């Protein structure tokens, strides 16, 4: 004969097992540098931390209270590592806008290869009027659609992907730097161009990474290492990384390019058939912006949806001219000759 406490004990036991399973997945996400399989768990750190906390709370009143308390503390600590990416109702302010420098804008968009409302995309571009645009999932249909704004963005490079779906593109209102040519990574996952921002040149790059393990993301990052390392001393790069800011994958991309990851604007992706509010508050922050050198990022704002499963991100930044240092032998020799001439005169 069953006792009256048998059912509650069984529920507590099942809850405990579920809590431990999610805790194990949460722990695995912190070891992404060991193997990309572990890194795949890191992308869901926020969701796993919330699940562990919700399962631990009722167990505090059970015989599993000590384990539940430990799991709850770990969940809170894990959640704290993601605070900089949580949804905001205002733009992310990185650095105050300078009064003596021009502020430029970059629009990052995953277009979605089969977007049913391309005119929404073109309308958003027209309203925001960014200086440069980085685009992902540039399929064949987008070649035609983007042609309609050629007069506004005459400087461009489109990089097709082997499957004809996941290409990238880079559009600019500002000219490419004299003597330079934009170029594509051989498989169309990255586009790079040196853009002239009022006399100050900066490399601008668009990147689109594949899905995490067991897909080819880790392998692809290795393939892009040469392109990432080729970025100039002053550069800004944006794209759909299919990886969250705290993941080993994003840290690896940043290290290869000697780049800094911008504070996240918040979740940008969610399954397209779910409500937009879920994308903004429960989605994944996988659209990243990186910078280095003379680039100073001031803010990042998620914009309204345009028919894609990603939200566009508008970034404001400024550039400072790098002082040229006579650190090569030729310039040092010229400086020495000039000083010698003055002493003789």
């Amino acid at each position: 004969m069953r006792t009256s406490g048998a059912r509650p004990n069984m529920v507590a036991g099942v809850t405990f097992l579920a809590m431990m399973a999610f805790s194990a997945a949460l722990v695995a996400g912190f070891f992404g540098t060991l193997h990309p399989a572990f890194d795949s768990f890191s992308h869901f750190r926020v969701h796993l931390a919330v699940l562990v906390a919700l399962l631990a709370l009722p167990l505090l009143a059970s015989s599993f209270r000590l384990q539940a308390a430990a799991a709850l503390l770990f969940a809170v600590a894990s959640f704290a590592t993601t605070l900089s990416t949580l949804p905001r109702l205002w733009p992310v302010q990185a650095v105050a806008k300078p009064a003596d420098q021009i502020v430029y804008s970059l629009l990052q968009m995953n277009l979605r290869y089969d977007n049913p409302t391309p005119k929404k995309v073109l309308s958003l571009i027209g309203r925001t009027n960014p200086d440069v645009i980085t685009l992902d999932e540039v399929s064949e249909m987008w070649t035609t659609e983007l042609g309609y704004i050629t007069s506004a963005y005459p400087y461009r490079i489109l990089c097709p992907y082997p499957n004809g779906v996941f290409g990238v593109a880079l559009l600019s209102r500002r000219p490419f730097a004299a003597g330079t040519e934009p170029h594509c990574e051989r498989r169309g996952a990255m586009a790079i161009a040196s853009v002239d921002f009022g006399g100050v040149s900066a490399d601008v790059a668009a990147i689109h990474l594949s899905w995490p393990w067991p897909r080819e993301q880790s392998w692809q990052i290795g393939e892009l290492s040469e392109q990432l390392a080729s970025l100039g001393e002053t550069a800004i790069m944006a794209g759909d990384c299919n990886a969250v800011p705290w993941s080993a994958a994003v840290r690896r991309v940043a290290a290869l390019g000697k780049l800094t990851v911008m504070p996240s604007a918040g979740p940008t992706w969610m399954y397209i058939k779910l409500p937009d509010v879920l994308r903004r508050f429960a989605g994944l922050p996988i659209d990243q912006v990186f910078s280095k050198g003379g680039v100073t990022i001031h803010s990042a704002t998620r914009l309204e949806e345009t028919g894609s499963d990603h939200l566009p991100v508008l970034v404001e930044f400024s550039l400072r001219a790098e002082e040229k240092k006579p650190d090569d032998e030729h310039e040092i020799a010229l400086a020495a000759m000039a000083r010698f001439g003055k002493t003789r005169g």
Side-chain angles (χ1 to χ4, degrees):
M1 183 176 178
R2 292 183 179 179
T3 63
S4 58
R7 185 174 179 82
N9 286 339
M10 184 176 68
V11 171
V14 171
T15 303
F16 171 74
L17 291 176
M19 180 190 74
M20 294 305 294
F22 287 126
S23 295
L26 188 57
V27 170
F30 285 93
F31 294 92
T33 55
L34 298 180
H35 193 278
F38 294 139
D39 202 34
S40 294
F41 289 105
S42 74
H43 307 304
F44 300 97
R45 184 174 298 171
V46 171
H47 307 79
L48 289 170
V50 170
L51 282 170
V52 170
L54 290 176
L55 291 168
L57 285 172
L59 289 177
L60 292 174
S62 72
S63 58
F64 300 106
R65 63 179 62 87
L66 292 179
Q67 297 93 325
L72 183 60
L73 286 173
F74 178 59
V76 171
S78 300
F79 189 84
T81 66
T82 70
L83 289 178
S84 63
T85 67
L86 295 183
R88 295 172 179 82
L89 301 177
W90 54 87
V92 177
Q93 294 293 333
V95 179
K97 294 181 184 179
D100 58 343
Q101 290 180 318
I102 300 173
V103 175
Y104 302 101
S105 59
L106 178 149
L107 180 63
Q108 155 59 23
M109 303 179 75
N110 180 310
L111 297 171
R112 188 170 174 86
Y113 67 95
D114 60 351
N115 191 320
T117 57
K119 295 300 181 283
K120 274 188 173 184
V121 171
L122 301 183
S123 175
L124 179 66
I125 291 173
R127 283 183 284 110
T128 54
N129 196 30
D131 293 280
V132 288
I133 308 171
T134 54
L135 302 170
D136 307 304
E137 291 199 28
V138 184
S139 59
E140 182 118 2
M141 67 164 274
W142 283 109
T143 303
T144 301
E145 294 295 337
L146 295 174
Y148 298 135
I149 58 172
T150 299
S151 59
Y153 291 90
Y155 309 100
R156 55 179 57 201
I157 179 169
L158 278 69
C159 304
Y161 200 74
N163 63 6
V165 173
F166 298 126
V168 299
L170 196 158
L171 312 183
S172 176
R173 290 197 293 114
R174 300 183 176 275
F176 294 145
T180 67
E181 289 290 336
H183 59 279
C184 298
E185 181 267 338
R186 66 182 183 86
R187 297 182 74 246
M190 191 171 172
I192 304 175
S194 183
V195 179
D196 185 344
F197 292 95
V200 179
S201 294
D203 279 356
V204 180
I207 188 171
H208 187 196
L209 297 182
S210 182
W211 286 7
W213 186 92
R215 300 294 288 273
E216 65 267 22
Q217 185 183 90
S218 180
W219 168 85
Q220 185 187 40
I221 294 173
E223 284 285 296
L224 293 172
S225 59
E226 187 176 336
Q227 297 291 328
L228 290 165
S230 74
L231 291 171
E233 292 183 3
T234 294
I236 183 168
M237 180 175 76
D240 170 13
C241 289
N242 276 306
V244 293
W246 56 82
S247 66
V250 168
R251 295 198 305 270
R252 185 180 171 199
V253 168
L256 287 169
K258 297 181 180 177
L259 299 156
T260 299
V261 186
M262 181 199 76
S264 175
T268 54
W269 177 87
M270 177 58 77
Y271 181 57
I272 196 167
K273 292 186 178 180
L274 294 176
D276 183 61
V277 67
L278 285 180
R279 186 185 318 177
R280 291 183 178 275
F281 291 93
L284 294 176
I286 59 176
D287 289 81
Q288 313 300 345
V289 180
F290 306 79
S291 65
K292 68 175 177 176
V295 176
T296 301
I297 293 178
H298 302 292
S299 67
T301 312
R302 293 175 301 166
L303 305 180
E304 70 269 21
E305 65 88 18
T306 55
S308 172
D309 48 353
H310 290 248
L311 293 173
V313 177
L314 184 66
V315 179
E316 292 185 320
F317 66 96
S318 60
L319 293 166
R320 62 184 182 275
E322 295 291 323
E323 292 184 10
K324 199 172 182 182
K325 298 178 181 180
D327 52 3
D328 63 70
E329 292 182 6
H330 179 65
E331 290 188 27
I332 291 173
L334 288 176
M337 288 173 66
R339 286 196 299 271
F340 180 72
K342 285 182 181 179
T343 57
R344 293 200 54 167

